Amino acid sequence: MVSSRSPIVDKVLCALTLEEKVSLLARKNTWETTNIDRLGIPSLKMTEGTPGARGLKWTYGSLTTFIPCGISLGATFDPVLFEKAADDPIFHEFARKAVQNGLVLLKNEAILPLRPSPLKRVAIIGPNARKPTAGGSGSAPANPFYVTTPEECVKEALLDANPEIEVIYEPGVPFSLYPPLLGTLLKTPDGALGGNPYCYRASGIVTPKVTGRYTWSLSNTGKAKLFIDGRSYRLSVESRVTLPPFEAFDNTLFPNVSGLRIGLAQGRNNQELLDRGTAYAQSADVAILVVGHNKDSEGEGGNHADMQLPGQTDALVHAVCAANPNTVVVVQSAREESMPSLQLLGKTPITLPRRLQDHGSGSWFSGQAANDYCEFGEGVLVGYHHFEKHDIQPLWPSGYGLSYTCFELSDIRLEEQMTVTAASTISVRARCWTARWIRSCAALAGFAKVFVPAGEDRNVTIGVGKQELRWYDEEAHSWQIDAGVYRCFVGASSVDIQNILEFNVL
């Protein structure tokens, strides 16, 4: 076997002691690898980069360009654009194009695209229109150069096309599920924090600016109690923070980190918010409703209990759609939502079920969090495999997405490669009929995306190689390709099949 390593690398490897080799597999702090000064090996500075390069801090680090999340990039069905967005995060246009190409149009009853010229009033409704989710929580925050909102972008586009349009805004539901942080309402005198290892007491004085009823919130890593004493509103928190690692509670990543969040909000009438949003929609020619999740309802470290949008969002959607039939609903979410009656904005990279029970993981959801146990009982029947195997009709199948025009596939044939004359996104799914049962469901074997001018056509070639046909044999500890007859299903989605082709593998 010929090694492609540099002789210098081999020399350094031989010079490293066992302890030094092990140290290079770990780190000297959160962001940097260990330096070996005697051999001239410098420390390498790393950073997480899922939504963009974070820098050296968990929050508010270096300025960076937001990269769309994985499900949004997957919806583009454009591997070239995906690579550019991932490799060149400094170029804002790549990220912006990725976002635009990741929008999915699921339903359209002659409302889109909007024609601004005859419109007199447009109502933009929903919390995510003014405060969109920009980046995730936990390990997915980033500090962007700038953030544009759907409200300002839509308003600008509408007024550019028709300066006479009146654009109004109303949230309809609260912007967050939890009360905001105390901020300047809290004063902490000297000695406000004290305690022992793994427990502490924090105190301060809270002075609300307006008389009224208020809602408090408390979040903590571990267990905590919130006390409010007397009319001076002396606040104190007794916290038993994260315990040392032990077998039944694996906390080896952050064994000594404490987190505490206290929120306060003046009492609000949520029904009044919803009624006002509905009234705004009813008074407009077109209502644009932008809803979804934010860091209160979506993030790492926990499962959703259901497929509903947070708080009263579902009620707002149904009320606005009932008040104005010319409603466009835009949903910002990184998961499936149960909304069978909405106007949504592509090509879905996942299968959206009609209900949670239809999902492959439904029988095992949501695991046993208290016992730190979760079973992936669906095995290899993930996503559209499960729906096909059990003949379940999804709400929106994988690969589904409308357009503002119509496309037609024709002259589909099988040669050394699979050739299709078509437009839009075409997918090929292959099934081996003689293989074991776990291979009886068609699997995505290839796809292509093409842009076609009106009235024209384009030739598209989709290659299917052995990588797409093989499966891993756990008993043999190797990849296998089954001999037999394979069927290729060619179409625009996992259910929109327009031709079936066969070939043999000997």
Side-chain angles (χ1 to χ4, degrees), residues 181-241:
L181 295 174
L182 298 174
T184 58
L185 301 180
L186 175 65
K187 304 297 181 183
T188 53
D190 294 340
L193 179 64
N196 300 309
Y198 308 115
C199 65
Y200 65 86
R201 175 179 291 168
S203 61
I205 304 295
V206 176
T207 308
K209 297 180 179 180
V210 179
T211 300
R213 297 183 62 86
Y214 285 81
T215 299
W216 292 86
S217 68
L218 175 66
S219 301
N220 188 65
T221 52
K223 296 182 179 180
K225 293 181 179 180
L226 173 66
F227 298 92
I228 302 173
D229 182 23
R231 296 186 61 83
S232 60
Y233 304 108
R234 178 173 293 277
L235 170 74
S236 67
V237 177
E238 294 182 357
S239 175
R240 188 180 76 186
V241 300

Coordinates of all heavy atoms in Angstrom, one line a residue, residues 181-241:
L181 N -36.9 38.8 29.2 CA -35.9 39.0 30.3 C -36.2 40.3 31.1 O -36.8 41.2 30.6 CB -34.5 39.0 29.8 CG -34.0 37.7 29.2 CD1 -32.6 37.9 28.6 CD2 -34.0 36.5 30.2
L182 N -35.8 40.3 32.4 CA -36.1 41.4 33.2 C -35.4 42.7 32.8 O -35.9 43.8 32.9 CB -35.6 41.1 34.7 CG -36.3 39.9 35.3 CD1 -35.7 39.6 36.7 CD2 -37.8 40.2 35.5
G183 N -34.2 42.6 32.2 CA -33.5 43.8 31.7 C -33.2 44.8 32.8 O -32.8 44.5 33.9
T184 N -33.6 46.0 32.5 CA -33.3 47.2 33.4 C -34.3 47.2 34.6 O -34.1 48.0 35.5 CB -33.4 48.5 32.6 OG1 -34.7 48.6 32.0 CG2 -32.3 48.6 31.6
L185 N -35.3 46.3 34.6 CA -36.2 46.3 35.7 C -35.5 45.7 36.9 O -36.0 45.8 38.1 CB -37.4 45.5 35.4 CG -38.3 46.0 34.2 CD1 -39.5 45.0 34.0 CD2 -38.8 47.4 34.4
L186 N -34.4 44.9 36.7 CA -33.8 44.2 37.8 C -32.5 45.0 38.3 O -31.7 45.3 37.4 CB -33.4 42.8 37.4 CG -32.6 42.0 38.4 CD1 -33.4 41.7 39.6 CD2 -32.1 40.7 37.7
K187 N -32.4 45.2 39.6 CA -31.2 45.7 40.2 C -30.6 44.7 41.1 O -31.3 44.1 41.9 CB -31.5 47.0 40.9 CG -32.2 48.1 40.1 CD -31.3 48.6 39.0 CE -31.9 49.7 38.2 NZ -31.1 50.1 37.0
T188 N -29.3 44.5 40.9 CA -28.6 43.4 41.8 C -27.6 44.1 42.6 O -26.5 44.5 42.1 CB -28.0 42.4 40.9 OG1 -27.1 43.0 39.9 CG2 -29.0 41.6 40.2
P189 N -27.8 44.3 43.9 CA -26.8 44.9 44.8 C -25.6 44.0 45.0 O -25.6 42.8 44.6 CB -27.6 45.0 46.1 CG -28.7 44.0 46.1 CD -29.1 43.9 44.6
D190 N -24.6 44.5 45.6 CA -23.4 43.7 45.8 C -23.7 42.5 46.7 O -24.5 42.5 47.6 CB -22.3 44.5 46.5 CG -21.8 45.7 45.7 OD1 -22.0 45.6 44.4 OD2 -21.3 46.6 46.2
G191 N -23.1 41.4 46.3 CA -23.3 40.1 47.1 C -24.6 39.5 46.7 O -25.1 38.7 47.5
A192 N -25.1 39.7 45.5 CA -26.4 39.2 45.1 C -26.3 37.7 44.8 O -27.3 37.0 44.8 CB -27.0 39.9 43.9
L193 N -25.1 37.2 44.5 CA -24.9 35.8 44.2 C -24.0 35.2 45.1 O -22.9 35.7 45.4 CB -24.3 35.7 42.7 CG -24.0 34.3 42.2 CD1 -25.3 33.5 42.1 CD2 -23.4 34.4 40.9
G194 N -24.4 34.1 45.7 CA -23.5 33.3 46.7 C -24.0 31.9 46.8 O -25.2 31.6 46.5
G195 N -23.1 31.0 47.2 CA -23.5 29.7 47.4 C -22.3 28.7 47.5 O -21.2 29.1 47.7
N196 N -22.6 27.5 47.3 CA -21.6 26.4 47.3 C -21.6 25.7 46.0 O -22.4 25.9 45.1 CB -22.0 25.4 48.5 CG -22.0 26.1 49.8 OD1 -21.1 26.8 50.2 ND2 -23.1 25.9 50.5
P197 N -20.6 24.7 45.9 CA -20.6 23.9 44.6 C -21.9 23.3 44.3 O -22.5 22.7 45.2 CB -19.5 22.9 44.9 CG -18.6 23.5 45.9 CD -19.5 24.4 46.7
Y198 N -22.4 23.4 43.1 CA -23.6 22.8 42.6 C -24.9 23.4 43.2 O -26.0 22.9 43.0 CB -23.6 21.3 42.8 CG -22.4 20.7 42.2 CD1 -21.5 20.0 43.1 CD2 -22.1 20.7 40.9 CE1 -20.3 19.5 42.6 CE2 -20.9 20.1 40.4 CZ -20.0 19.5 41.2 OH -18.9 19.0 40.8
C199 N -24.8 24.6 43.9 CA -26.0 25.2 44.4 C -25.7 26.7 44.7 O -24.5 27.0 45.0 CB -26.6 24.6 45.6 SG -25.6 24.6 47.1
Y200 N -26.7 27.6 44.5 CA -26.4 29.0 44.8 C -27.8 29.7 45.1 O -28.8 29.1 44.8 CB -25.7 29.7 43.7 CG -26.5 29.8 42.4 CD1 -27.3 30.8 42.2 CD2 -26.3 28.8 41.4 CE1 -28.1 30.9 41.0 CE2 -27.0 28.9 40.2 CZ -27.9 29.9 40.0 OH -28.6 30.0 38.9
R201 N -27.7 30.9 45.6 CA -28.8 31.8 45.7 C -28.5 33.1 45.1 O -27.5 33.7 45.4 CB -29.2 32.0 47.2 CG -30.3 32.9 47.4 CD -30.6 33.1 48.9 NE -31.2 31.9 49.4 CZ -31.4 31.6 50.7 NH1 -31.0 32.5 51.6 NH2 -31.9 30.5 51.1
A202 N -29.4 33.5 44.2 CA -29.3 34.8 43.6 C -30.5 35.7 44.0 O -31.6 35.2 44.2 CB -29.3 34.7 42.0
S203 N -30.2 37.0 44.2 CA -31.3 37.9 44.6 C -31.1 39.3 44.0 O -30.1 39.6 43.4 CB -31.2 38.1 46.1 OG -30.0 38.6 46.6
G204 N -32.2 40.0 44.0 CA -32.2 41.4 43.4 C -33.5 42.1 43.7 O -34.5 41.5 44.3
I205 N -33.6 43.3 43.2 CA -34.9 44.1 43.4 C -35.4 44.4 42.0 O -34.8 44.8 41.1 CB -34.6 45.5 44.1 CG1 -33.9 45.2 45.4 CG2 -35.8 46.3 44.2 CD1 -34.8 44.5 46.4
V206 N -36.7 44.0 41.8 CA -37.4 44.2 40.6 C -38.4 45.4 40.7 O -39.2 45.4 41.7 CB -38.2 43.0 40.1 CG1 -39.0 43.2 38.9 CG2 -37.2 41.8 39.9
T207 N -38.3 46.4 39.8 CA -39.2 47.5 39.9 C -40.0 47.7 38.6 O -39.4 48.3 37.6 CB -38.4 48.8 40.1 OG1 -37.5 48.6 41.3 CG2 -39.3 50.0 40.4
P208 N -41.2 47.2 38.5 CA -42.0 47.3 37.2 C -42.3 48.8 37.0 O -42.4 49.6 38.0 CB -43.3 46.5 37.5 CG -42.9 45.6 38.6 CD -41.9 46.3 39.5
K209 N -42.4 49.2 35.8 CA -42.7 50.6 35.4 C -44.2 50.9 35.3 O -44.6 52.1 35.4 CB -42.0 50.9 34.1 CG -40.5 50.8 34.1 CD -39.9 51.2 32.8 CE -38.4 51.1 32.8 NZ -37.7 51.4 31.5
V210 N -45.0 49.9 35.2 CA -46.5 50.1 35.1 C -47.2 49.2 36.0 O -46.8 48.0 36.2 CB -46.9 49.7 33.6 CG1 -48.4 49.9 33.5 CG2 -46.2 50.6 32.6
T211 N -48.2 49.7 36.7 CA -49.0 48.9 37.6 C -49.9 48.0 36.9 O -50.5 48.4 35.8 CB -49.9 49.8 38.5 OG1 -49.0 50.7 39.3 CG2 -50.7 49.0 39.5
G212 N -50.0 46.7 37.3 CA -50.9 45.8 36.6 C -50.5 44.4 37.0 O -49.7 44.1 37.9
R213 N -51.2 43.4 36.4 CA -50.9 42.0 36.6 C -49.8 41.6 35.7 O -49.7 41.9 34.5 CB -52.2 41.2 36.3 CG -53.3 41.5 37.3 CD -54.5 40.6 37.0 NE -54.2 39.2 37.2 CZ -54.3 38.6 38.4 NH1 -54.7 39.3 39.5 NH2 -54.0 37.3 38.5
Y214 N -48.9 40.7 36.3 CA -47.7 40.3 35.6 C -47.6 38.8 35.6 O -48.1 38.1 36.5 CB -46.4 40.9 36.2 CG -46.2 42.4 35.8 CD1 -46.9 43.4 36.5 CD2 -45.4 42.7 34.7 CE1 -46.7 44.7 36.1 CE2 -45.2 44.1 34.4 CZ -45.9 45.1 35.1 OH -45.7 46.4 34.7
T215 N -46.9 38.3 34.6 CA -46.6 36.8 34.5 C -45.0 36.6 34.7 O -44.3 37.3 33.9 CB -47.0 36.2 33.2 OG1 -48.5 36.4 33.1 CG2 -46.7 34.7 33.1
W216 N -44.6 35.8 35.6 CA -43.2 35.4 35.8 C -42.9 34.1 35.1 O -43.8 33.2 35.0 CB -42.9 35.3 37.3 CG -42.9 36.5 38.1 CD1 -44.0 37.1 38.7 CD2 -41.9 37.4 38.4 NE1 -43.7 38.3 39.3 CE2 -42.4 38.5 39.1 CE3 -40.5 37.4 38.1 CZ2 -41.6 39.5 39.6 CZ3 -39.7 38.4 38.5 CH2 -40.2 39.5 39.3
S217 N -41.7 33.9 34.7 CA -41.2 32.7 34.1 C -39.9 32.3 34.7 O -39.1 33.3 35.0 CB -41.2 32.7 32.6 OG -40.1 33.5 32.1
L218 N -39.6 31.1 34.9 CA -38.3 30.6 35.4 C -37.8 29.4 34.7 O -38.6 28.4 34.6 CB -38.4 30.3 36.9 CG -37.2 29.7 37.6 CD1 -36.1 30.7 37.7 CD2 -37.5 29.3 39.0
S219 N -36.6 29.4 34.1 CA -36.0 28.3 33.5 C -34.6 28.1 34.1 O -33.9 29.1 34.4 CB -35.9 28.5 32.0 OG -37.1 28.7 31.4
N220 N -34.2 26.9 34.3 CA -33.0 26.6 35.0 C -32.4 25.3 34.6 O -33.1 24.3 34.2 CB -33.2 26.6 36.5 CG -32.0 26.5 37.3 OD1 -31.2 27.5 37.3 ND2 -31.8 25.4 38.0
T221 N -31.0 25.2 34.6 CA -30.4 23.9 34.4 C -30.4 23.2 35.7 O -29.5 23.4 36.6 CB -29.0 24.1 33.9 OG1 -28.3 25.0 34.8 CG2 -28.9 24.6 32.5
G222 N -31.3 22.3 36.0 CA -31.4 21.6 37.3 C -32.7 22.1 37.9 O -33.7 22.4 37.2
K223 N -32.8 22.1 39.2 CA -34.0 22.5 39.9 C -33.8 23.9 40.6 O -32.7 24.2 41.1 CB -34.3 21.5 41.0 CG -34.7 20.1 40.4 CD -35.0 19.1 41.5 CE -35.4 17.8 40.9 NZ -35.8 16.8 42.0
A224 N -34.9 24.7 40.6 CA -34.8 26.0 41.2 C -36.1 26.4 41.6 O -37.2 26.0 41.2 CB -34.2 27.0 40.2
K225 N -36.2 27.4 42.6 CA -37.4 28.0 43.1 C -37.3 29.5 43.1 O -36.2 30.0 43.4 CB -37.7 27.5 44.6 CG -38.0 26.0 44.7 CD -38.3 25.6 46.1 CE -38.6 24.1 46.2 NZ -38.9 23.7 47.6
L226 N -38.4 30.1 42.7 CA -38.4 31.6 42.6 C -39.2 32.1 43.8 O -40.4 31.7 44.0 CB -39.0 32.0 41.3 CG -39.2 33.5 41.1 CD1 -37.9 34.3 41.0 CD2 -40.0 33.7 39.8
F227 N -38.7 33.1 44.5 CA -39.4 33.7 45.6 C -39.6 35.2 45.4 O -38.6 35.9 44.9 CB -38.7 33.5 46.9 CG -38.5 32.0 47.3 CD1 -37.4 31.3 46.9 CD2 -39.5 31.4 48.0 CE1 -37.2 30.0 47.3 CE2 -39.4 30.1 48.4 CZ -38.2 29.3 48.0
I228 N -40.7 35.7 45.6 CA -41.0 37.2 45.5 C -41.5 37.6 46.9 O -42.5 37.1 47.4 CB -42.0 37.5 44.4 CG1 -41.5 37.0 43.1 CG2 -42.2 39.0 44.4 CD1 -42.5 37.1 42.0
D229 N -40.8 38.5 47.5 CA -41.0 38.9 49.0 C -41.4 40.3 49.1 O -40.6 41.3 48.7 CB -39.7 38.6 49.8 CG -39.9 38.9 51.2 OD1 -41.1 38.9 51.7 OD2 -38.9 39.1 51.9
G230 N -42.6 40.6 49.6 CA -43.0 41.9 50.0 C -43.4 42.9 48.8 O -43.2 42.5 47.7
R231 N -43.8 44.1 49.2 CA -44.2 45.1 48.2 C -43.0 45.7 47.4 O -43.2 46.3 46.4 CB -45.0 46.2 48.9 CG -46.3 45.7 49.5 CD -47.1 46.8 50.0 NE -47.5 47.7 48.9 CZ -48.5 47.6 48.1 NH1 -49.3 46.5 48.2 NH2 -48.7 48.5 47.1
S232 N -41.8 45.5 48.0 CA -40.6 46.0 47.3 C -40.2 45.1 46.2 O -39.2 45.3 45.5 CB -39.5 46.2 48.3 OG -39.1 45.0 48.9
Y233 N -40.9 43.9 46.1 CA -40.6 42.9 45.0 C -39.1 42.5 45.0 O -38.4 42.5 44.0 CB -41.0 43.5 43.6 CG -42.4 43.9 43.6 CD1 -42.7 45.3 43.5 CD2 -43.5 43.0 43.6 CE1 -44.1 45.7 43.5 CE2 -44.8 43.4 43.5 CZ -45.1 44.8 43.5 OH -46.4 45.2 43.4
R234 N -38.7 42.1 46.3 CA -37.4 41.5 46.4 C -37.4 40.1 45.8 O -38.2 39.2 46.2 CB -36.9 41.4 47.8 CG -35.5 40.8 48.0 CD -35.1 40.9 49.4 NE -34.8 42.3 49.7 CZ -33.7 42.9 49.4 NH1 -32.7 42.3 48.8 NH2 -33.5 44.2 49.8
L235 N -36.6 39.9 44.8 CA -36.5 38.6 44.1 C -35.4 37.8 44.5 O -34.3 38.3 44.7 CB -36.4 38.9 42.6 CG -36.0 37.7 41.7 CD1 -37.3 36.9 41.5 CD2 -35.5 38.2 40.3
S236 N -35.6 36.5 44.7 CA -34.5 35.6 45.0 C -34.8 34.2 44.4 O -35.9 33.8 44.2 CB -34.4 35.4 46.6 OG -35.5 34.7 47.1
V237 N -33.7 33.6 44.0 CA -33.8 32.3 43.3 C -32.8 31.3 44.1 O -31.7 31.6 44.3 CB -33.4 32.3 41.8 CG1 -33.4 30.9 41.2 CG2 -34.3 33.3 41.1
E238 N -33.4 30.2 44.5 CA -32.5 29.2 45.1 C -32.4 28.0 44.1 O -33.4 27.5 43.6 CB -33.2 28.6 46.4 CG -33.2 29.7 47.5 CD -33.8 29.1 48.8 OE1 -34.2 28.0 48.8 OE2 -33.8 29.9 49.8
S239 N -31.2 27.7 43.7 CA -31.0 26.8 42.6 C -30.0 25.7 43.0 O -29.0 25.9 43.6 CB -30.4 27.6 41.4 OG -30.0 26.7 40.3
R240 N -30.4 24.5 42.6 CA -29.5 23.4 42.6 C -29.2 23.1 41.2 O -30.0 22.5 40.5 CB -30.2 22.2 43.3 CG -29.2 21.0 43.5 CD -29.9 19.8 44.2 NE -30.7 19.1 43.2 CZ -31.6 18.1 43.5 NH1 -31.7 17.8 44.8 NH2 -32.3 17.5 42.6
V241 N -28.0 23.5 40.8 CA -27.7 23.4 39.4 C -27.2 22.1 38.9 O -27.4 21.1 39.7 CB -26.6 24.5 39.1 CG1 -27.1 25.9 39.4 CG2 -25.3 24.2 39.8

